[in-house]
Amino acid sequence: MHLAYPAVLAALLFCVGLYGVLARRNAILVLMSVELMLNAVNLNLVAFDVWLRDTLHSGQALTLFTIAIAAAEIGIGLAIVLAVYRNRGTSDIDRLRDTAETDEAEKLPDTAETDPADADTDAGGTEPTPGRVDGKTGKTKKAEATT
């Protein structure tokens, strides 16, 4: 058998998987597309191992490791997708991106109002001065004692 047949089949599988990763919005379909890409790599590893007539069969051994890693990856990936689906109610990747948590500092609006206690401080901002700040000039007025 020629090496071209499994190589072309692996290239087609890899392209279908790449299209699935880039075009699909469902997280489960994206994981399935990643699995297609890994299977294309496995097919290439076995095909080149047979073509090179490797006595150690290192391509087939590497394929077994790849299958084990892929099984662990799909188990963890499905667990994450199920947890996200339970929390958010959707597995759509675009919606998950839109509802990402943002920093609390970005949510707080900027206010022009200042605390009245801050207005009674001197220029250094460390000690309060007696009296209040005049709204027009911004200078501190002395407190008038009433007797």
Side-chain angles (χ1 to χ4, degrees):
M1 178 168 63
H2 294 287
L3 180 63
Y5 298 132
V8 168
L9 180 62
L12 289 174
L13 276 176
F14 193 85
C15 288
V16 168
L18 185 64
Y19 174 75
V21 167
L22 295 177
R24 299 293 176 187
R25 295 296 166 230
N26 190 345
I28 295 174
L29 291 178
V30 170
L31 286 175
M32 288 174 62
S33 298
V34 170
E35 288 295 319
L36 273 177
M37 292 168 60
L38 286 173
N39 285 331
V41 170
N42 289 338
L43 182 61
N44 267 335
L45 284 172
V46 171
F48 276 98
D49 182 55
V50 169
W51 184 64
L52 293 173
R53 295 189 177 116
D54 187 16
T55 57
L56 294 176
H57 300 292
S58 56
Q60 294 176 18
L62 191 57
T63 299
L64 289 175
F65 284 114
T66 307
I67 290 171
I69 290 172
E73 174 257 335
I74 200 69
I76 292 172
L78 283 176
I80 291 171
V81 167
L82 285 174
V84 167
Y85 183 78
R86 285 182 183 170
N87 287 336
R88 307 262 173 109
T90 184
S91 63
D92 189 15
I93 294 175
D94 288 335
R95 286 187 181 172
L96 296 178
R97 228 180 263 148
D98 293 341
T99 59
E101 294 181 17
T102 58
D103 191 17
E104 289 294 324
E106 293 175 3
K107 290 183 180 179
L108 296 176
D110 293 335
T111 57
E113 301 177 67
T114 58
D115 190 18
D118 293 339
D120 290 339
T121 59
D122 64 353
T126 56
E127 298 180 73
T129 56
R132 58 190 176 123
V133 176
D134 186 355
K136 294 179 182 178
T137 62
K139 294 183 180 180
T140 305
K141 291 184 177 180
K142 297 278 184 182
E144 297 176 10
T146 56
T147 55

